[in-house]
Structure formats: structure tokens, C-alpha cells
Amino acid sequence: MAIKFEQVNFEYPSFDGYNFSALKDINLEIAEKGEFITLIGETGSGKSTLVQHMNALIRPTTGSVTIYGIKIEKDTKKKGKVKLNPLRQRVGLVFQFPEYQLFEETVLKDIIFGPKNFGVKESVAIERAKQVIKHVGLDEEYLKRSPFNLSGGEKKRVSIAGILAMEPDILVLDEPTSGLDPKGRDDLLKLFMGIHNDLNKTVIIITHDMNTVYKYASRVLVMNEGHLVYDGLPQELFSKENIKSWNLDIPDIITITRQLEDKLDVNFDRQPHTIQDLFELVKEVI
Amino acid sequence: MNIIEIKDLSFSYQDEIDALSNVTLSVKKGEWVSILGHNGSGKSTLSKLIIGLLKADSGEIKVDGVILNEESVHDIRRKIGIVFQNPDNQFVGVTVEDDIAFGMENLCFEQSDIIDKIKEYAEKVSMSEYLKKEPHALSGGQKQRVAIAGILAMKTDIIIFDEATSMLDPKGRESIMNYIKEINKAGVTVITITHDMKEAVLSDRIIILKEGRVIACGDTNDILNDKETLNSSNLELLLPLKLQYLLDEANLSNDKVKDILWQLSLNK
Ligand SMILES: Nc1ncnc2c1ncn2[C@@H]1O[C@H](COP(=O)(O)OP(=O)(O)OP(=O)(O)O)[C@@H](O)[C@H]1O
Ligand SMILES: Nc1ncnc2c1ncn2[C@@H]1O[C@H](COP(=O)(O)OP(=O)(O)OP(=O)(O)O)[C@@H](O)[C@H]1O
Ligand SMILES: [Mg+2]
Ligand SMILES: [Mg+2]
């Protein structure tokens, strides 16, 4: 197991003494290799809080998170023995707001910061930067720009490039596709899928897009009010009745298939996974 | 009557990057217009020019018959509310309630009215329990909800939503879209900037930007079907229309199916 949550509770401190409990009794295991996980759940359900535990950015209030054999507990840092830097390189986390991640003068400096920090030679880091900037759909010219003077979607892409350049073992992305144009969204999901397939790395993606979940995920986690309420296959999730009570939705392809069955008065013998599948089914009945 | 008229507008950042070139467009009073386009196509820049946060290099913007310039900018801002793409850019107060109040205070609402409206609009976006919290200690979607509440409460004639629902859960997104429908029916002019065709389909008209230029502008129903234009600007067809294209290509379509798929696209 690369990451293991045991009885994790997390409270955000508050000045008035009423601490806010954002994670409740989380037990969860993430394998080092071979998983493509989507993490979903309503606004404020604890998704971002959960993933920030995965590279020890925050520590549990009670319980523990073990990351590559290193056990992180409430007072881990105070003891001062544990080195967290290597963990941050192995588990790469892209923040929900790119603004929290970008701080250098140029995009190039921003992208090479991570690798250099983890001991990669500058010349190698620069080569990586030239590669990853293209992978996220921007041309090399952008390396010279200031990361603050970019459009929303461009910032998002640069923040993703910075983590890709670290070449982490596990890639954790907090809403990487919100704010991307549809082609950018598809291209980047394919890129993550490629990293997963070619290098057999585990990828974890937070999203509100049910189509992404249905199309890509091999495992889906659902958070609700600080609890992990579902951990399993997407197909099963979307056939559950309580999905609406978690403020989730059904993927478009399932909705449209159901509506078509209704309007055409037919029953397809299987649930299509892609629009091409649905086309094959419709072909037979018209 | 056109409430916004833009003529030959050009703008570049730091004299080198042309963000907008010769943009001409108009928005009718009471209309709902979507602005679409690839990342970096100039959507947010255009919205900042309309409210006078950026100054055009050339061209003209008229709001409600008045030309936007240094003298008129304050009056024009009283007519337009904008929900920024990044909600953090909207927050100035120490608490969520300060932030919802901020826009109303600028418009000189009565204090007692402000107190009522904070409650009413926090309720509308399901944030009533968070009024005393610091805006920066909220989740992404909660920030977006607060930003939306603050602008709605101002009750301006025109509201621009710059990807205002991009981080909301499906249910939250639906309820905000329903609310936008409601205020638009009540006469508010709405401009939504979005990448989501399911949101765009709700508007009367769609304008597409590409590399700082308007490349399409027309009735939503016409643009929805325009596969080439959509693809060329990194956009996509709605799923039922994708199916329609596959059927057309295979010469398999018939009127009945076509009609059904069209109705499904319009979500009827
Ligand atoms: N810094 C903070 N201080 C106090 N409370 C916080 C802080 N950050 C988050 N919270 C609260 O913790 C809860 C979980 O937040 P989190 O950001 O993990 O949600 P999320 O599932 O990522 O939501 P979203 O989909 O909106 O991004 C929310 O109710 C939020 O208000
Ligand atoms: N502050 C800035 N300084 C310099 N250039 C900028 C600045 N903000 C944006 N740009 C550039 O101007 C162009 C238009 O940006 P804009 O933010 O208007 O795009 P957008 O259509 O809103 O994109 P997105 O969908 O990513 O939000 C882009 O090429 C961008 O790099
Ligand atoms: Mg979040
Ligand atoms: Mg923008």
C-alpha cells in the first residue's frame, strides 16, 4: 500500500473554539500502482481536505496516514525526525486553485522549482519544463511569461505542468479540469490516462463531472459531510438510488440512453459506455 | 433596445499580447447571452473591459446608451454586477457576511435592507450556516456560492457570470442555473461565460471568441449545431447532437429520431 488512512479525523481550528470537523473516521487504502481513481462529492464534503493528507500537507487530528511506510500523525512534525520532502516528491498534488501554487516570476521558474527542490539538475529540469508545457497544451513561448498574467485556464495548465515535471509516483489532482475548455479537458484526461497506462502509476482526480468518472475511473470514492460514503466501481455507483441525496448526478450518456429508450419505446440490452456504443445500439432499432 | 453595444474594441496587455481585436457585438435589454471560447480567447478580458476595470486601446463600449469613459464608469458600474472567474478576487471582507454586503454597501443600500438581503441571498446559495466564517477558510465551491450571492443581492440591471459555477457540484450548479433563469425572466440582462454546452443551451444567443476575435454570433439553436465552428474553438457538441452526427454520417437518420435528439439537446 502506498497510502493508508486509519481512523482519520480532521478538524480545522477556529478562533471561537468551535473547531470544524471536516473529515470523520476515514479508512482508505491507495495502491502505488495501477489505480485510476476519481474522488467526488458535494461542495464542502471534504475532498480537498482529504487529498491534502496524502502528501502530509496537513496532518490528522486523530488517527494516522501512512505514506510509503512513513506514519503521519498529529504531532509528527513536532518530533522533527520525519523528512516530509521525499513524500512530496513521490505524491504530487495539484491544488484546486492554481493561484496557490504559482509564485515565481516566470512560468519556467515555476515549473523547474519543484524538480530542483527535489535534487534534479537545473539543465534537466529545464528540459522537462519544455516537454511538460507542451503536454498541457501550451507552446514553449509561455515559459517566458509571468504565471500571474495568464487566463484562468492557462494558469490551471501551468500548475499541472509544474507537478508533472516532478515526475511523482502518484499523481493527485484537485479539480484539474474545471475551467478548461472541452478539448483541453479531454486532452488532459487522456494525458493522465496515458501516464497511468504507460507507467502504471496511480492517478487520483477530484471532479464534479460525472462523465469523467464514468469514462475513466476504475474506482470511485464519494465523500459526504466528511464521511467516505462509497468506495467502489463507477457502474455500481450510478445504479444506486441515493446518488441524488449526495448531490451527485448521472452521467450524460446514461441519461440520454434512458431518455431514448423511453421515447423510442425500446429496451437496449446493455448500457452503452460511449457515444459510439450508443450509436451501435440505436442503429439496430431505427 | 441594446443595453450593451461594443464597437471595434481592441485591447492588448503590456503592448505585446493582443487579447482582443476589433470586437463588435451587442446585447439586448433582457437578453441572456453566452460567451464561449477556448482558454485564453479573451472572454475574461472582454468582461473586465465592459465594467471598466481595463481600458480599451481603441473602440467603444456603450452601456444603456452611455459611452464608457472615466466620467461615466462609476454610473455604469452601478448597473453591472460581475462574478469573477476566481472567487478569491471578489473577497475583501473578514467574514462571509461582510463579503455578501460589500456590493450592496457600494450601491448605498439601507443598512436594515442589507441585513435582510444577506440572509435572503445566503439562503438562496445554501450558505446560511457560514455567515460568520472567513471567506478564505471555505471550500472552492463554497467560495463560488458566496461570490454569486454577493452579486445577486446587488440587483443590478446586468449581471456577468465569468465561469461562476465551474467548481459547483451538479445539484448546486442546477440550482444556480435555475435562479439565473428566474432573474432573466424578471428582466435582468445576463451574460454567462462558460465552457459547458449544457449551460449555454439555456441562453438566447451565443457568441464565440477565438484568439481575441468574434468568430460566431447567433441564435443558440443555430450555433448548437455548428460542429465545425465549435470544434475549431475547442468546444464540443452536446451529446445528443454528437449522436445525430454519427447517424447522419451513416445515412441512418430519420425525422422522428432527429426531432427526439433535438428535444433532448434542448433538455425538454
Ligand atoms: N482553512 C479552513 N478553515 C476552516 N474550515 C475549512 C478550511 N478549509 C475548508 N474548510 C471547511 O471544511 C469543509 C471541507 O472543505 P473542503 O475544501 O475539503 O471541501 P471540498 O469537498 O473540497 O469542496 P469543494 O468541492 O467545494 O472544493 C468545508 O465545510 C469547509 O468550509
Ligand atoms: N494580466 C494579464 N497580463 C498579460 N496577459 C494576460 C493577462 N490576463 C490574460 N492575458 C492574456 O490575454 C489573453 C486572453 O485572456 P483571458 O483571460 O481574457 O482569456 P479567457 O478567454 O478568459 O480564458 P479562460 O477560459 O482560460 O479563462 C490570453 O492569451 C492571456 O494569456
Ligand atoms: Mg475542494
Ligand atoms: Mg477567463
Side-chain angles (χ1 to χ4, degrees), chain B residues 89-238:
Chain B
N89 295 343
Q90 202 124 343
F91 297 146
V92 287
V94 180
T95 62
V96 166
E97 62 185 356
D98 292 349
D99 270 314
I100 298 180
F102 181 72
M104 291 187 279
E105 281 165 359
N106 277 342
L107 296 184
C108 309
F109 280 43
E110 295 271 340
Q111 202 54 39
S112 61
D113 194 21
I114 292 181
I115 291 168
D116 292 344
K117 288 237 158 57
I118 290 173
K119 274 201 190 137
E120 180 187 340
Y121 283 89
E123 185 103 8
K124 279 196 203 303
V125 299
S126 319
M127 288 298 291
S128 306
E129 289 163 39
Y130 296 84
L131 288 175
K132 303 284 177 207
K133 262 202 154 184
E134 252 182 280
H136 293 282
L138 297 176
S139 79
Q142 289 168 343
K143 286 179 182 176
Q144 279 193 324
R145 288 166 191 246
V146 172
I148 291 169
I151 300 302
L152 288 177
M154 290 163 68
K155 296 215 156 233
T156 48
D157 299 341
I158 306 169
I159 306 185
I160 304 176
F161 296 89
D162 190 352
E163 300 192 39
T165 62
S166 62
M167 287 182 287
L168 296 189
D169 61 50
K171 176 98 168 293
R173 180 177 295 218
E174 190 185 317
S175 81
I176 298 293
M177 290 328 277
N178 283 337
Y179 192 66
I180 295 179
K181 272 186 218 167
E182 220 174 276
I183 57 171
N184 178 243
K185 274 215 186 90
V188 176
T189 305
V190 174
I191 299 178
T192 44
I193 296 173
T194 182
H195 294 292
D196 186 347
M197 292 308 284
K198 284 198 293 186
E199 281 184 20
V201 79
L202 302 170
S203 63
D204 303 314
R205 217 146 49 86
I206 293 179
I207 293 171
I208 301 182
L209 293 182
K210 183 178 179 184
E211 292 168 4
R213 293 172 190 277
V214 175
I215 60 151
C217 172
D219 282 348
T220 297
N221 288 2
D222 297 333
I223 306 258
L224 278 184
N225 253 321
D226 189 347
K227 186 181 177 203
E228 258 161 55
T229 306
L230 291 175
N231 284 352
S232 83
S233 2
N234 289 2
L235 299 164
E236 62 186 345
L237 283 168
L238 283 159

Side-chain angles (χ1 to χ4, degrees), chain B residues 9-21 45 49 54-58:
Chain B
L9 194 72
S10 296
F11 176 82
S12 54
Y13 289 99
Q14 297 126 18
D15 304 326
E16 37 173 335
I17 301 151
D18 286 342
L20 290 175
S21 315
T45 304
L49 284 160
L54 295 172
K55 193 170 166 296
D57 299 333
S58 61

Side-chain angles (χ1 to χ4, degrees), chain B residues 7-95:
Chain B
K7 264 198 223 129
D8 221 14
L9 194 72
S10 296
F11 176 82
S12 54
Y13 289 99
Q14 297 126 18
D15 304 326
E16 37 173 335
I17 301 151
D18 286 342
L20 290 175
S21 315
N22 307 99
V23 168
T24 296
L25 59 87
S26 60
V27 178
K28 289 197 211 72
K29 197 170 164 57
E31 199 178 21
W32 179 350
V33 173
S34 302
I35 300 181
L36 310 182
H38 62 85
N39 290 135
S41 57
K43 305 179 296 296
S44 298
T45 304
L46 178 61
S47 67
K48 288 177 193 159
L49 284 160
I50 294 175
I51 57 159
L53 269 185
L54 295 172
K55 193 170 166 296
D57 299 333
S58 61
E60 180 186 280
I61 299 175
K62 256 194 207 167
V63 178
D64 215 359
V66 178
I67 295 179
L68 174 70
N69 56 32
E70 266 145 50
E71 276 121 58
S72 64
V73 66
H74 285 285
D75 285 335
I76 286 181
R77 280 205 199 141
R78 306 176 75 85
K79 295 185 183 152
I80 312 181
I82 176 167
V83 183
F84 289 114
Q85 184 165 9
N86 181 348
D88 282 330
N89 295 343
Q90 202 124 343
F91 297 146
V92 287
V94 180
T95 62

